[in-house]
Amino acid sequence: MEFSTADLRERTPTLAAGDVTGAVGDSVTVLPVVVAVSALTELRLPILLLWFGAFQVVWGLRYGAPVSVEPMKALAALVIAGSLSVPELAVAGTLAGGVLLGLGAVGALGALADRIDPAVIRGVQLAVALVLARTGLELGVGSPTTALAAAAVGGAVVALGYRRAAALAVLGVGLGLAVAETGAPSVVVPDFEAAVSPGGVAVGAPATTGEEFALTTDALAATGAQLAMTVGNAAVATSLLLGDLFDAEVSPDELATSMGAMNLAAVPLGALPMCHGSGGVAGKHAFGARTAGANLLLGVLYAVAALGAAGVVAAFPMAALGVLLVLVAVELGRASLDTDSLALTVGVGLLGVATNVGAAFVAGIAASAVLARVRGSE
């Protein structure tokens, strides 16, 4: 992937009127998941937000288009549900970054995407959606009154025609309740040194021993499941959407290279594993973004939130968090059902939630191969 200062001059972002509202479109895919991860694990919200803000700016400048920066949802869902530990999340994110960087560097991603049945990728998306929904319902049961109130706000936003903003509205309710309990947030500079473990791997959490970073079966399975989603959604689909909506020529291999680079650089320093994604690109466009100025603005907004968010997340109501997770799950589930083989997609999804997402991914690939042979022999 070649890049020069001439590229940067040609792609210098401007700020259009719609970029202000458009910045919100990508945050809808980020904030609910990031708040959930920080509330349910040791990962620190300010550090997570700073990394998302930094890469909004980096890739906005690099590509000159409203490129999204989102959490790797399969990994985020598994750590939220407790199926992955934070050290395993760090290992999986770093490993995924290395694989993506390698695939992108040799231009292999397009060929790899063609070899994976899209219905299997959709099934992984469905499995992740079901895991998030199950976790959300479990959290909501703890305080049904708060959950119902938050759900009512989200439902009202959907009824007004702003379906994609429903999660952001519920997030606002939860933050309002948290601020009412803790008072106005104060400005605190995040401590990056506290995020680094003695073993050399940073997870944005209290110090841990090097032994906790062994490459476990769960970490490997989660990496495979995430890569299945990333190849289809964060690379191939995002590349197509950037061309369709913004007339931006960004190849899947370029996106894979940038995703690999940011995870290798940031996950060892306390970041949540990150990717690009068609959902965030579509969200930015739907909310009015037309230039990479939306990335620069959103990067600033994330940084401002990071400086004042440290104490608020601890008071975020778990029941409202549960509603957030269900709304995110619904959006992901809707996308997963856009498939040419509903039976295979649903089968992979149900197997993923019943066992684990990585096993479902492998089983889905095997099932798709069998189905292809059966169809070929008819």
Side-chain angles (χ1 to χ4, degrees):
M1 181 175 67
E2 296 181 358
F3 179 58
S4 68
T5 55
D7 293 326
L8 182 58
R9 287 194 298 271
E10 291 172 4
R11 299 177 178 185
T12 300
T14 58
L15 188 63
D19 290 330
V20 178
T21 55
V24 175
D26 201 0
S27 69
V28 171
T29 66
V30 174
L31 290 176
V33 175
V34 170
V35 169
V37 168
S38 61
L40 296 174
T41 74
E42 314 94 290
L43 289 167
R44 297 189 175 98
L45 182 61
I47 292 175
L48 301 184
L49 289 174
L50 285 175
W51 280 119
F52 276 100
F55 284 113
Q56 282 284 343
V57 174
V58 167
W59 303 128
L61 291 172
R62 170 64 184 92
Y63 294 118
V67 176
S68 60
V69 181
E70 306 175 14
M72 285 188 164
K73 289 189 179 65
L75 297 183
L78 293 172
V79 79
I80 287 170
S83 300
L84 276 184
S85 67
V86 169
E88 286 173 328
L89 174 73
V91 169
T94 304
L95 180 59
V99 172
L100 288 168
L101 183 63
L103 290 174
V106 300
L109 201 62
L112 179 61
D114 291 338
R115 295 179 179 275
I116 301 177
D117 191 332
V120 176
I121 296 173
R122 296 298 189 189
V124 171
Q125 289 179 324
L126 180 59
V128 171
L130 292 173
V131 169
L132 284 174
R134 180 179 63 190
T135 304
L137 291 173
E138 291 170 351
L139 292 174
V141 168
S143 180
T145 301
T146 301
L148 288 173
V153 170
V157 173
V158 171
L160 290 172
Y162 299 100
R163 176 175 58 83
R164 290 184 59 83
L168 203 60
V170 174
L171 178 63
V173 171
L175 289 175
L177 292 173
V179 170
E181 179 177 331
T182 63
S186 57
V187 176
V188 177
V189 177
D191 181 5
F192 278 88
E193 288 188 12
V196 182
S197 74
V201 180
V203 296
T208 55
T209 65
E211 295 178 356
E212 294 182 53
F213 295 95
L215 189 60
T216 65
T217 301
D218 286 342
L220 281 173
T223 303
Q226 180 60 60
L227 287 172
M229 288 180 61
T230 300
V231 167
N233 179 58
V236 177
T238 301
S239 173
L240 291 172
L241 203 59
L242 285 168
D244 291 342
L245 298 181
F246 302 107
D247 196 27
E249 295 183 5
V250 183
S251 73
D253 288 303
E254 283 184 295
L255 293 172
T257 303
S258 62
M259 287 186 286
M262 70 176 161
N263 281 296
L264 287 175
V267 170
L269 295 175
L272 185 65
M274 293 170 283
C275 62
H276 301 303
S278 58
V281 172
K284 274 185 169 143
H285 186 271
F287 277 73
R290 296 296 181 268
T291 79
N295 286 60
L296 305 189
L297 179 61
L298 186 53
V300 172
L301 292 176
Y302 281 152
V304 171
L307 296 177
V312 175
V313 66
F316 196 95
M318 290 295 104
L321 186 60
V323 175
L324 271 179
L325 294 179
V326 170
L327 289 173
V328 172
V330 168
E331 288 298 313
L332 191 58
R334 284 168 58 94
S336 73
L337 297 179
D338 181 16
T339 175
D340 293 331
S341 179
L342 186 61
L344 180 58
T345 294
V346 172
V348 171
L350 293 177
L351 181 62
V353 76
T355 57
N356 69 71
V357 180
F361 173 52
V362 174
I365 291 176
S368 68
V370 171
L371 288 173
R373 285 196 173 189
V374 170
R375 290 166 186 159
S377 64
E378 292 177 352

